[in-house]
Amino acid sequence: MSCWREQHVLRMPATTIGIHTEEEWKAFYNKIIKETTWDAGDFAPALCSYRKTGPMIDYILVDSAPVEGGGYVASARMLWGQEMEEYLPIFQKQFPGFTIEQMEDVHYCEFKWYDSVEAPDCY
């Protein structure tokens, strides 16, 4: 059953971890999808379309459903230095060798949408 859903994520382009081709994305997707639940604390493929931006990977901070409706909401911002340092170990655990410089590609995104369609694009 569809409902209004809200997520807060740390989002990065797949290119940040060296995924540049459709074949590389499919291989990564098939590997990560087996361990993905889209719950808070998981890394997962972004639920938005990637036709405009290319594939995105989310670290999910908040996933709430159902939530009060009221229209689509989407916002994104770069991480503050303190946040980069705070979240770096989480990204390094999932992606060994991940650097503080790569954290510059990670953005904080918040969005709310009716989940019978793709989530709003934001980055």
Side-chain angles (χ1 to χ4, degrees):
M1 183 172 170
S2 297
C3 62
W4 284 95
R5 183 174 181 175
E6 181 174 359
Q7 282 192 334
H8 300 202
V9 302
L10 301 179
R11 178 168 288 170
M12 69 177 171
T15 56
T16 302
I17 59 166
I19 297 172
H20 297 283
T21 67
E22 187 70 27
E23 293 77 27
E24 290 169 335
W25 174 248
K26 286 179 183 177
F28 174 80
Y29 183 90
N30 287 334
K31 178 184 170 200
I32 197 171
I33 201 68
K34 294 173 186 167
E35 48 195 62
T36 298
T37 64
W38 283 277
D39 290 332
D42 272 353
F43 280 91
L47 293 173
C48 62
S49 167
Y50 61 88
R51 287 182 286 272
K52 295 178 190 173
T53 60
M56 296 285 194
I57 301 166
D58 290 346
Y59 176 71
I60 302 165
L61 300 170
V62 173
D63 182 54
S64 299
V67 296
E68 185 90 16
Y72 292 86
V73 175
S75 67
R77 65 170 172 79
M78 296 178 71
L79 295 181
W80 300 313
Q82 174 184 333
E83 291 172 317
M84 286 187 206
E85 292 175 14
E86 176 184 347
Y87 291 113
L88 178 61
I90 294 168
F91 280 76
Q92 288 175 328
K93 184 176 179 185
Q94 182 72 25
F95 308 106
F98 203 86
T99 66
I100 194 74
E101 290 80 18
Q102 287 172 297
M103 287 300 293
E104 293 176 8
D105 289 345
V106 178
H107 293 182
Y108 181 88
C109 302
E110 294 181 24
F111 42 94
K112 182 169 68 168
W113 80 106
Y114 197 71
D115 74 357
S116 67
V117 297
E118 291 176 336
D121 287 329
C122 67
Y123 176 70

